[in-house]
Amino acid sequence: MENMEEVQSKHTWMHVVQYYETDAMQIVHHSNYIRWMEEVRLDYLSKVGLAYDSMEAHGIIIPVLSASCEYKTATRYGETVKIMAEMERFDGLRFYVTYRITSEDGSVLHATGRTSHCFLNRDMKPVNVKKAAPEIYDFFRHFKK
Amino acid sequence: MENMEEVQSKHTWMHVVQYYETDAMQIVHHSNYIRWMEEVRLDYLSKVGLAYDSMEAHGIIIPVLSASCEYKTATRYGETVKIMAEMERFDGLRFYVTYRITSEDGSVLHATGRTSHCFLNRDMKPVNVKKAAPEIYDFFRHFKK
Amino acid sequence: MENMEEVQSKHTWMHVVQYYETDAMQIVHHSNYIRWMEEVRLDYLSKVGLAYDSMEAHGIIIPVLSASCEYKTATRYGETVKIMAEMERFDGLRFYVTYRITSEDGSVLHATGRTSHCFLNRDMKPVNVKKAAPEIYDFFRHFKK
Amino acid sequence: MENMEEVQSKHTWMHVVQYYETDAMQIVHHSNYIRWMEEVRLDYLSKVGLAYDSMEAHGIIIPVLSASCEYKTATRYGETVKIMAEMERFDGLRFYVTYRITSEDGSVLHATGRTSHCFLNRDMKPVNVKKAAPEIYDFFRHFKK
C-alpha cells in the first residue's frame, strides 16, 4: 500500500523581486510570474530527485504544454515573494502543477497559476515515461488520479 | 444603428524570433509568448486610437488580470511568427482578448492564448470607463455582449 | 579624520541561475550578466542606506551611464553564482562600480564588469548630490578620488 | 586584388520598443540594449551568409567575449530605434563589432556599443576558423587588420 505522505507534493521558493523585472507601470511585468512558476517548479523537481540534468541523462525533456496566471495584487521592486507549487495530478501522460504567489509572510495573495507538462524524448516525440524511465514514473505515479 | 464592420476587432503583428528568446531546449522560452501577446495587443489598441500614452493622458491604466497560453508547436531562432489578436468581448468592466500564434505563412499553429484586462486610475483603483473616459468606452462598447 | 573602514565598499550577492536565463547554446545568455550586476549593486546600495525607494523619496534617480562585461567562463542552469560589487570611485558627479562574477565557491571566474552612474532628478536633469541630498553625498564622499 | 566594397561591413536593423522592455523609471531597461546589439549582429551575419544555423552546420559557435554600452539618451515605449552595426576588425582569432543606437530618423543618439567574439567548436574549444571553416574565414579576412 502506498504511503502518500512520503512523497513531497508541495514546494516553496522565495524570490527577491528585481528592478529589471519591473515595467513602466512601476510594478512587476506580468510575464515574470510565468518565470517565477518555473523557478519553483524546477527547484521542486530537483528536490524530489528529478533535476533537469538527471532528466536529460534519461533523454527526457519536460516542456510546458500550457500556462495560466490570475493576477490579484501587483508586486513591486523591493518586495520578496513566496511561490508555492503543488503537484495537482498526473494522468499517465501529462502532469499538472498549481501555484500560489504571495507576499513573503503569506498575508497578501499576488497571483495563482497552473501549468501542464508532458514528457518528450530528444526528438520532441511523446514518451511513455512508465516504460522509458521507470525511476521518473515512480515519482509521478503517486499523483495518478 | 451600430455598424460593427467599422470597428476593427482583429489585428496582426509579425515578430522575428530573437536568439535571446531561446532557452537551453533550443526553442523559444514559453514566457516569451506572453510578451508577444502584449506586442500585438498594444499595437492593436494603438491602431484603434487607444495608444498607451493617450490612455495615460486620460489617467487610465490597463493592467493584465489574467493570461493563459496553450503551447502547440515549438518556435525556434530564425523563424518569424504571426500573432493575431481578436477582441473577444467587453463586459462593462473587463475586456477579453484571444490570440493565435502561427508560422509566418499561417500554416503551423504555434500557440493560442487569452488575456483579460480592466481599467484602473493612477491610484490602481477600478474605473468606470463609461463615465471616466467616454472616448475609450466608445471603442469598447462595440464588443459589449 | 575619516575612517574608511566604517564604510562598506564591497558587497556580495548569490544568484541561483534560472532555466529561463539560458539560451540555445545551453549557457546563460550574456545579457543576464548585466542584470546580475544590477542585482548586487541595488542590494549593496540598499544595505548602505541608499535603497531605491529612499532615493526616490529624495527625488533622485540613479541611471546607468555605461556598462561593460568581459565573459570568461560560461555559466549554466543548475549553478549558483557569486557576484561581488566594489565601489571603485566617485568623481563628484559620477560613481563607478566594478564586479566579479564567480562560481559559488569562488574558484571559477565567470566574468568581470563595470558600470558608471550619475544622479538625476525626476525631470532627468543632472543633480549636484552634495547640495540636493547631503545624506546621499555622505556615503559617496568616502570614495572621492 | 580584393575589392572591399563588395563586402558588406555595415548593417542596420529597426527595433520597435516593447512595453515589456521598460522598467520602473519608465525608460527601457539598460540590459535590453545588449539584446538589441545581438539583434542587429545576428541579422547582419545572416545577411552575409553566416546565419546561426549555417554556422552550426559547420560545428561553429560564436560566443560573446565582451560587451559594452554607453547610454546617451533614454528610450521609451512607443519609440522605434535604429541600430547600426559595423564590423570593426578581425585579428585572426577574434572579431569586433561596434554599434550606434539612434532614434528612427537618426537625429537622436541613444547609445553606442561594442562587442567582441571568437569561434568555438561544439566542445567550447577555440577554433582556427581559417582551417576549420574557410567559407567563414572568407568573409572575415576582409576585416583583418
Side-chain angles (χ1 to χ4, degrees):
Chain A
M1 192 190 134
E2 291 306 326
N3 187 347
M4 258 306 284
E5 286 172 41
E6 287 171 16
V7 183
Q8 186 188 344
S9 65
K10 294 184 184 187
H11 187 63
T12 296
W13 174 260
M14 307 305 284
H15 177 92
V16 179
V17 175
Q18 296 301 330
Y19 192 75
Y20 58 73
E21 295 179 315
T22 61
D23 66 21
M25 271 191 229
Q26 303 186 307
I27 59 177
V28 170
H29 191 269
H30 63 285
S31 62
N32 291 303
Y33 290 63
I34 303 291
R35 298 183 167 197
W36 297 351
M37 293 182 203
E38 181 183 90
E39 291 189 22
V40 66
R41 180 176 67 248
L42 295 187
D43 196 57
Y44 168 47
L45 291 176
S46 178
K47 288 289 184 298
V48 298
L50 301 173
Y52 177 82
D53 43 1
S54 78
M55 302 296 270
E56 244 200 353
H58 285 101
I60 285 178
I61 290 166
I62 302 185
V64 179
L65 292 178
S66 68
S68 64
C69 189
E70 303 271 330
Y71 303 91
K72 309 292 188 186
T73 321
T75 49
R76 288 183 166 72
Y77 173 67
E79 297 175 1
T80 294
V81 291
K82 180 156 75 172
I83 313 158
M84 286 157 286
E86 181 168 11
M87 185 65 70
E88 190 188 70
R89 69 188 177 93
F90 171 59
D91 66 11
L93 291 173
R94 295 182 184 86
F95 65 92
Y96 302 83
V97 186
T98 58
Y99 307 85
R100 279 178 65 84
I101 302 176
T102 69
S103 56
E104 193 170 7
D105 65 0
S107 65
V108 179
L109 179 62
H110 289 302
T112 59
R114 191 168 184 258
T115 58
S116 64
H117 307 265
C118 67
F119 303 92
L120 300 182
N121 62 20
R122 287 198 187 96
D123 302 325
M124 294 285 184
K125 300 290 173 199
V127 149
N128 182 329
V129 73
K130 190 172 180 177
K131 282 187 189 172
E135 312 83 357
I136 294 173
Y137 181 78
D138 194 51
F139 170 74
F140 284 102
R141 71 186 167 84
H142 294 285
F143 304 98
K144 213 165 167 195
K145 284 170 191 174
Chain B
M1 190 190 135
E2 288 307 326
N3 186 347
M4 257 305 286
E5 285 171 42
E6 287 172 15
V7 182
Q8 187 187 344
S9 66
K10 294 184 183 185
H11 187 62
T12 296
W13 173 261
M14 307 305 284
H15 177 92
V16 179
V17 175
Q18 295 302 331
Y19 192 75
Y20 58 74
E21 295 179 316
T22 61
D23 66 21
M25 270 192 232
Q26 302 186 305
I27 58 177
V28 170
H29 191 268
H30 63 285
S31 61
N32 291 302
Y33 291 63
I34 304 292
R35 298 182 166 196
W36 297 350
M37 292 182 204
E38 181 183 89
E39 292 190 21
V40 65
R41 181 176 66 251
L42 295 187
D43 195 58
Y44 169 48
L45 291 177
S46 178
K47 288 289 184 299
V48 298
L50 302 172
Y52 177 81
D53 43 1
S54 78
M55 302 296 270
E56 243 200 354
H58 285 100
I60 285 178
I61 289 167
I62 302 186
V64 179
L65 292 178
S66 68
S68 63
C69 189
E70 302 270 331
Y71 303 91
K72 308 293 187 185
T73 320
T75 49
R76 287 181 167 75
Y77 172 67
E79 297 175 1
T80 294
V81 291
K82 180 156 75 173
I83 314 158
M84 286 157 288
E86 181 168 10
M87 185 65 70
E88 189 187 72
R89 68 190 177 92
F90 170 59
D91 67 10
L93 290 172
R94 294 182 185 85
F95 65 91
Y96 302 83
V97 186
T98 58
Y99 308 84
R100 279 177 66 83
I101 301 176
T102 69
S103 56
E104 193 171 6
D105 65 0
S107 64
V108 178
L109 178 63
H110 289 302
T112 59
R114 191 166 183 259
T115 57
S116 64
H117 308 266
C118 66
F119 303 92
L120 299 182
N121 63 20
R122 286 199 188 95
D123 301 325
M124 294 283 181
K125 300 289 174 201
V127 148
N128 182 328
V129 72
K130 191 173 179 176
K131 281 187 190 172
E135 312 83 358
I136 294 174
Y137 181 78
D138 194 51
F139 169 74
F140 283 101
R141 71 185 167 85
H142 295 285
F143 304 98
K144 215 164 166 196
K145 283 169 194 174
Chain C
M1 191 190 136
E2 289 307 327
N3 187 347
M4 258 305 285
E5 286 171 41
E6 287 172 16
V7 182
Q8 186 188 343
S9 65
K10 294 182 184 186
H11 187 62
T12 296
W13 173 261
M14 306 305 283
H15 177 93
V16 178
V17 175
Q18 295 302 331
Y19 192 75
Y20 58 73
E21 296 179 315
T22 61
D23 66 21
M25 270 191 230
Q26 303 187 304
I27 58 176
V28 170
H29 191 267
H30 63 285
S31 62
N32 291 302
Y33 291 63
I34 303 293
R35 298 182 167 197
W36 297 352
M37 293 183 203
E38 181 183 90
E39 292 190 19
V40 64
R41 180 176 68 250
L42 295 187
D43 195 58
Y44 169 46
L45 291 176
S46 177
K47 289 289 184 300
V48 298
L50 302 173
Y52 178 82
D53 42 1
S54 78
M55 301 297 270
E56 244 201 354
H58 285 100
I60 284 177
I61 289 166
I62 302 187
V64 179
L65 292 178
S66 68
S68 63
C69 188
E70 303 270 330
Y71 303 91
K72 308 294 187 186
T73 319
T75 49
R76 288 182 167 74
Y77 172 67
E79 297 176 1
T80 295
V81 291
K82 180 156 74 172
I83 314 157
M84 286 157 285
E86 180 167 12
M87 186 64 71
E88 190 187 71
R89 69 189 177 91
F90 170 59
D91 67 11
L93 291 172
R94 293 183 185 86
F95 65 92
Y96 302 83
V97 186
T98 58
Y99 308 85
R100 279 177 66 83
I101 302 175
T102 69
S103 55
E104 194 170 7
D105 65 0
S107 65
V108 179
L109 178 63
H110 289 302
T112 59
R114 191 168 184 259
T115 58
S116 64
H117 307 266
C118 67
F119 303 92
L120 300 183
N121 62 21
R122 287 199 187 96
D123 303 323
M124 294 285 183
K125 301 289 175 201
V127 149
N128 182 328
V129 73
K130 191 173 180 177
K131 283 187 189 173
E135 312 84 356
I136 294 174
Y137 181 77
D138 194 50
F139 169 74
F140 283 102
R141 70 184 169 83
H142 295 284
F143 304 98
K144 215 165 165 194
K145 284 171 192 172
Chain D
M1 192 189 135
E2 289 307 324
N3 186 347
M4 258 305 284
E5 288 172 38
E6 286 172 14
V7 183
Q8 186 188 343
S9 65
K10 295 183 182 185
H11 187 63
T12 296
W13 174 260
M14 306 305 284
H15 177 93
V16 179
V17 175
Q18 296 301 331
Y19 192 75
Y20 59 74
E21 295 178 316
T22 61
D23 66 21
M25 270 190 230
Q26 302 187 303
I27 58 176
V28 170
H29 190 269
H30 63 284
S31 62
N32 291 303
Y33 291 63
I34 303 292
R35 297 182 167 197
W36 297 351
M37 292 182 204
E38 182 183 88
E39 292 190 20
V40 65
R41 180 176 67 250
L42 294 188
D43 195 59
Y44 168 48
L45 290 177
S46 178
K47 288 289 184 298
V48 298
L50 302 173
Y52 178 80
D53 43 1
S54 79
M55 302 296 270
E56 245 202 352
H58 285 101
I60 284 178
I61 289 167
I62 302 186
V64 178
L65 292 178
S66 68
S68 63
C69 189
E70 303 271 330
Y71 303 92
K72 308 294 188 184
T73 320
T75 49
R76 287 180 166 76
Y77 172 67
E79 298 175 0
T80 294
V81 290
K82 179 156 75 173
I83 314 158
M84 286 157 287
E86 181 167 11
M87 186 64 70
E88 189 187 72
R89 69 189 176 92
F90 170 59
D91 67 10
L93 291 173
R94 294 182 185 86
F95 66 92
Y96 303 83
V97 186
T98 58
Y99 307 85
R100 279 177 66 83
I101 301 175
T102 69
S103 55
E104 193 171 7
D105 65 0
S107 65
V108 178
L109 179 62
H110 289 301
T112 59
R114 191 166 182 260
T115 58
S116 64
H117 308 266
C118 67
F119 303 92
L120 299 183
N121 62 21
R122 286 198 188 96
D123 302 325
M124 294 283 181
K125 300 291 173 198
V127 148
N128 181 328
V129 72
K130 190 173 180 177
K131 282 187 189 172
E135 312 83 359
I136 293 173
Y137 181 78
D138 194 51
F139 168 73
F140 283 101
R141 71 186 168 85
H142 294 285
F143 303 98
K144 214 165 167 194
K145 284 169 193 175

